[in-house]
Amino acid sequence: RLCAAGHGVFVNPALVEPFGLTLIEAAACGLPIIATCEGGPTDIIGNCENGILVDPTDHREIATAIKKILVDRETWKRFSGKGINGVRRHYSWSSHCDQTLKIIDTALEETPAAKASDMSVFRSLGHRLTSLKKLIISDIDNTLVGNDQGLRELLDLLAANQARIGLGLSTGRCLQLTIDVLKEHAIDPPDILICSVGTEIYYGKKRTMDRGWQQHLSHKWRPEQIREKLTGLDFLELQEPETQRQFKISYYMEDDPDLLTRVHQALRSDRLRYQLIFSHGQFLDILPYRASKGRAVRYLSYKWGIPLQDIMVCGDSGNDEDMLRGDTCGVVVANHSRELSHLKGRRNIFFSKKEYAEAIIDGIRKYGFIEEE
Ligand code: GLC
Ligand code: MG
């Protein structure tokens, strides 16, 4: 019809054109194009060969181009046909996807070995995690460690069942201090490490970080404002620099509910979003409102498709509380701190009469996590 109606040509003489969607639309309708040589159209005409690039400030050049296309029927037909085919080849959804995948493939091939092996860690670990029947997530200090004989017994039990049961360790310690304690007790790297009170998640021997979790936590996290609001409170003492993390601000504080209220008051005045966790009668952790050991466990359950009912969590102190509550199978060691006493009698929280790792073994039996022969 366009041809019968005496052709037609589409002109885009923009001073700068980042891409040129209108050019693609015109070309898809069979109109030859005349386009600014500034920006995206160079690519479009380069790919489709369906028109002429012009200097947008030169009206003579534009006029000459229009005339050439409209007067010369052959040129019009050639540009029109090439436009229709070229847009389909280069700018349709399917070609766009093909192109994108090709670029990703090349980028992956070119990534340094370290990054590529990150991918393979994720692939093999992902495979393992999604095929597990059960997952045990235990706190480290005063839960997993504290009694060497119990610990060895537990590790042997887990090694014998390692195809079915995964192990995650969840701790207030930062990654380095976690590695130190694992070394000290000769504990092999577990499947999952949840460090810094649930604010960092790592996988496997290589301790590949879960970036998705970091991204999730960053929502409404304003650490500078929080620190600033709390500088006036002289009963707070900042913990050592290595314990201060991207998503964790930690203080020492006396065990006194009134002082905790004052911390809340200071932070609430500015509508700051945060999570306060007090533990061992002396540690105060301030985290993003989406973070905690328990939330990290829920995230893992969702991400790897492990139902909460198949996850056993074990702990001894206040920073374990929210991972013990809910639908997981909770185990509290006999040597727990008093912050957890009020959880007694709750559904799904088993207060073992055993201490440390022996309580974890007790929990494994109680919840039927291993098939006893
Ligand atoms: C660990 C951390 C400390 C944190 C405490 C309680 O001791 O090193 O920063 O406050 O756990 O979560
Ligand atoms: Mg502990």
Side-chain angles (χ1 to χ4, degrees):
R1 259 185 60 219
L2 284 167
C3 191
H7 322 327
V9 66
F10 184 83
V11 186
N12 171 350
L15 291 178
V16 181
E17 171 60 82
F19 178 60
L21 210 46
T22 51
L23 292 165
I24 302 281
E25 286 165 356
C29 298
L31 273 184
I33 60 179
I34 290 171
T36 173
C37 61
E38 298 295 337
T42 2
D43 289 338
I44 297 173
I45 290 187
N47 282 331
C48 302
E49 300 173 327
N50 63 330
I52 300 173
L53 288 169
V54 291
D55 172 354
T57 60
D58 185 341
H59 66 270
R60 279 207 184 84
E61 200 182 323
I62 297 173
T64 313
I66 294 174
K67 207 161 143 196
K68 176 167 172 35
I69 294 175
L70 291 184
V71 169
D72 180 352
R73 255 183 185 267
E74 281 315 305
T75 306
W76 190 96
K77 266 197 194 154
R78 184 163 45 84
F79 282 162
S80 169
K82 284 203 164 206
I84 293 171
N85 292 327
V87 165
R88 196 170 296 161
R89 185 166 341 116
H90 298 283
Y91 300 106
S92 66
W93 272 114
S94 60
S95 74
H96 177 72
C97 293
D98 287 347
Q99 278 281 95
T100 308
L101 290 175
K102 240 185 241 158
I103 292 169
I104 292 173
D105 274 346
T106 336
L108 282 181
E109 276 161 27
E110 286 167 5
T111 29
K115 282 207 184 143
S117 76
D118 258 25
M119 294 293 294
S120 74
V121 166
F122 263 117
R123 240 176 264 134
S124 58
L125 224 121
H127 192 257
R128 169 162 168 74
L129 291 176
T130 47
S131 65
L132 288 174
K133 296 279 172 287
K134 304 280 178 189
L135 178 63
I136 295 176
I137 297 193
S138 173
D139 167 54
I140 299 182
D141 294 285
N142 294 317
T143 305
L144 182 73
V145 303
N147 169 347
D148 272 343
Q149 201 193 322
L151 174 61
R152 299 290 35 119
E153 207 181 306
L154 171 69
L155 294 176
D156 289 347
L157 188 65
L158 291 176
N161 289 278
Q162 75 107 38
R164 311 178 52 247
I165 307 183
L167 177 65
L169 297 178
S170 178
T171 175
R173 291 172 179 251
C174 61
L175 181 61
Q176 190 50 53
L177 293 177
T178 307
I179 296 172
D180 293 349
V181 72
L182 296 187
K183 276 212 183 111
E184 188 189 325
H185 293 273
I187 302 168
D188 287 340
D191 296 305
I192 302 169
L193 279 179
I194 304 173
C195 296
S196 301
V197 203
T199 60
E200 292 163 25
I201 298 177
Y202 302 90
Y203 298 103
K205 278 197 192 74
K206 299 215 155 143
R207 298 185 283 271
T208 312
M209 190 182 224
D210 190 319
R211 307 256 167 224
W213 181 236
Q214 302 291 105
Q215 181 64 33
H216 181 71
L217 296 189
S218 61
H219 187 64
K220 299 205 165 159
W221 175 234
R222 312 264 179 275
E224 290 79 25
Q225 273 109 308
I226 291 179
R227 268 190 220 104
E228 199 184 296
K229 282 278 148 195
L230 298 181
T231 42
L233 304 182
D234 53 9
F235 56 87
L236 291 179
E237 185 195 336
L238 264 180
Q239 290 185 20
E240 297 70 15
E242 67 272 20
T243 69
Q244 312 295 341
R245 310 289 295 173
Q246 186 181 1
F247 296 111
K248 169 174 169 284
I249 306 172
S250 294
Y251 296 90
Y252 293 110
M253 194 189 94
E254 213 181 292
D255 191 352
D256 176 350
D258 291 342
L259 297 183
L260 262 189
T261 310
R262 283 177 60 197
V263 175
H264 277 299
Q265 278 165 349
L267 295 176
R268 278 206 193 115
S269 62
D270 238 10
R271 296 173 142 227
L272 288 165
R273 304 292 296 264
Y274 61 92
Q275 171 95 246
L276 272 199
I277 298 181
F278 188 68
S279 60
H280 290 286
Q282 59 166 327
F283 300 123
L284 178 68
D285 300 315
I286 304 173
L287 318 174
Y289 79 104
R290 289 176 166 181
S292 69
K293 285 180 163 186
R295 293 210 168 101
V297 170
R298 277 159 187 76
Y299 170 82
L300 289 167
S301 156
Y302 176 75
K303 176 161 180 160
W304 301 106
I306 308 171
L308 288 171
Q309 294 82 342
D310 292 330
I311 302 180
M312 187 174 106
V313 295
C314 320
D316 75 295
S317 83
N319 74 13
D320 302 313
E321 175 166 343
D322 88 314
M323 86 175 170
L324 290 161
R325 291 166 178 268
D327 293 336
T328 45
C329 304
V331 177
V332 178
V333 293
N335 54 293
H336 63 84
S337 36
R338 71 181 169 105
E339 303 127 14
L340 293 187
S341 301
H342 69 282
L343 295 178
K344 274 192 188 148
R346 264 185 175 258
R347 201 175 57 90
N348 286 348
I349 303 187
F350 168 54
F351 275 74
S352 173
K353 297 213 164 53
K354 307 253 162 100
E355 298 192 329
Y356 308 103
E358 287 184 349
I360 305 178
I361 301 176
D362 203 15
I364 291 179
R365 301 242 149 81
K366 144 109 185 139
Y367 289 114
F369 265 39
I370 46 171
E371 292 138 356
E372 314 250 11
E373 51 298 333

